Amino acid sequence: MTLDALRDVPVLRLEECSPNVSGLTLAAYLAPEELRPAAAKLLGKAYFLEDVSVVEVSEGFLGVYHFDHFDAPGRIALRVLIPKDAPELPTISDIYQGASWHERECRDFFGVTFAGHENMTPLLLAAEDAEFHPLRKGDKALKSLTDLVPDGEGGPQAGDVAAFLAAAEESEAPGTPSDVTGSADGHESDEVSAT
Amino acid sequence: MTSSASPGRFHLGGDFYTNHFEKGGSPDTMILNMGPQHPATHGVLRVIFELDGEYILRTEPVLGYLHRMHEKMGEEQTYYQYMPNMGRVDYLHALAWNWAWAGAVEKLGGIEVPRRAEFIRVITCELNRISSHLLWWGAFLLDLGAFTPIMYGFDDRERILDILQRPTGSRLTYSYYRLGGVAADLDDTAQRMIRDFVLHLRSRLPMYRDLVTGNMILRHRLEGVGHISVEMCRRYGATGPTLRGSGVAYDVRRAEPYSVYPELNFSIPTDDDCDGMARYNVRMAEIEQSLDIIEQALDMLPDGDFWVKNAPKPKWKAPKGEVYFAVEGARGKIGVHLVSDGSATPYRVKLRAPGFSNLSLFAEVTRGTLLADAVAILGSLDMVIPEIDR
């Protein structure tokens, strides 16, 4: 059940993991534009949303989405890497409404915005602090994605990440998230006037 | 509202959220704030309603009044040092959070836990679950206007706190589990106190039922109120009694078995009415299940160490990697997502709080209901605000 949950979704990299080692059964690296179709597919297969979070790495921001299933448990992680100078992910809050608060939290903590989100106002931090993102790391503390994966069995593999980074670089040319940023401006100006 | 309600009245300055919320409002409706210091919000939660008479058109919970940036603290402290934070995330079921953290780090580092410690964890965590449910029971009924039950609930809950104080040394914000075990053994006196308590609470539950469960006023306030479907739980990620009150037998203790739960015999109570009464019934049945679990675990409690001999030192470095570990808390699925770069402090800590996901569906459930029902619905979700805000 779990292993073919992402069939038909064009993933950059798909990993089968051992739940005993990593807590995941399946992890996929996706291009940002594939995130929404993948989420819709998982909802169609009755997966529920566990959480949405961001991990900051030297390559950019890694959006991490965890899903699980009520009847056939097995955690699926979707991961999307976006560049630091265009920190924007597509929202999935219209597919999984529970993502709405998680995405607002990610914006508070990391300054990653979500294109198409109907309400990007601060959730946990004060409106006055909207431009301060406490979970961002300084340059010294930043690690590369390849430094965060083990060489052992069962979890995400260093080789997979390297291959994914190469694939992401190849697709850099036209379809990168920097093209999508236009829609974020509406939200930003909205917030400023409200404050 | 009269025609004098021009768009200009929204430019009041000051409160960001009310202004933001009012911008979408109609001139014929009223904006009502509940909280952040309202007794029915169970802590500092603020909820803004847009009302047409007594009917709710829109709801927006406003979070952040208790936010303490636990995830940032997780990145500043060592794996060992971070444990006391867990008791402060959800002070009503602190041991489940203890367990989520210990379990995640143990999984990451491949740390063995002695069997005796696993059983002690089960016993203490289930006791803590009962104490959380008892407080929910009293406070929920207080929200609905009944005062007496909270006195009974607190009375029985105090006994649990007395028991847990022996091994843990504290009564509320426990920091008892350690990487590779628990901090202190469960001695014979504590075991005897627990057995006494199990018998005592079993004798009290029929009285709880007589006093409250069949009460006509309660049933009128809860039956058919706050309909939460399975499909809604899926879209919002709601878990725990909220989900099981929608008829889904999903419990992390069974779905992603951890510790010695697979060896224990217990069922997962469900109720498919999807309303406030269903969630009430599920929690009451869970108290009985927890009593059964505690009794079995006491019978099976093996001799041996309660803490692994070569346990990680305070400055222990975790291997690099990524791990997700979940446990079943009183409010639902508690998840810890850890990313380690191989140093003594985590690279990234993500805490999945069940209340966060459960509360996020509140706006959708309350749309179209009466304001008084919103209070009943909020109570039926069993909120602990520090856990939601983290």
Side-chain angles (χ1 to χ4, degrees), chain B residues 69-100:
Chain B
M69 206 68 241
H70 273 291
E71 291 178 11
K72 180 74 179 176
M73 283 190 260
E75 294 173 14
E76 301 286 325
Q77 290 171 314
T78 69
Y79 291 91
Y80 191 95
Q81 281 174 325
Y82 190 52
M83 182 60 83
N85 279 64
M86 294 292 102
R88 284 141 184 90
V89 174
D90 176 355
Y91 53 79
L92 291 187
H93 201 184
L95 288 175
W97 281 89
N98 273 214
W99 204 337

Side-chain angles (χ1 to χ4, degrees), chain B residues 44 59 73 84-85 97 118 138-139 148 156 164 175 177 192 214 227 239 245 250 255-256 264 279 305 342 349 351 362:
Chain B
V44 272
T59 308
M73 283 190 260
N85 279 64
W97 281 89
E118 294 280 21
T148 313
D156 287 340
L164 289 178
S175 173
Y177 298 172
R192 199 172 53 248
H227 189 275
T239 50
Y250 180 83
E256 284 176 60
L264 299 166
R279 296 187 278 281
D305 292 335
V349 178
L351 305 175
F362 184 63

Side-chain angles (χ1 to χ4, degrees), chain B residues 138-155:
Chain B
F140 180 37
L141 294 162
L142 196 60
D143 290 347
L144 298 175
F147 179 76
T148 313
I150 198 167
M151 306 313 287
Y152 285 101
F154 260 80
D155 183 15

Side-chain angles (χ1 to χ4, degrees), chain B residues 351-384:
Chain B
L351 305 175
R352 185 213 191 262
F356 186 84
S357 299
N358 294 354
L359 182 65
S360 68
L361 52 70
F362 184 63
E364 186 171 327
V365 182
T366 49
R367 199 175 300 143
T369 65
L370 289 160
L371 180 61
D373 288 342
V375 174
I377 297 168
L378 192 63
S380 78
L381 293 175
D382 189 12
M383 294 293 102
V384 171

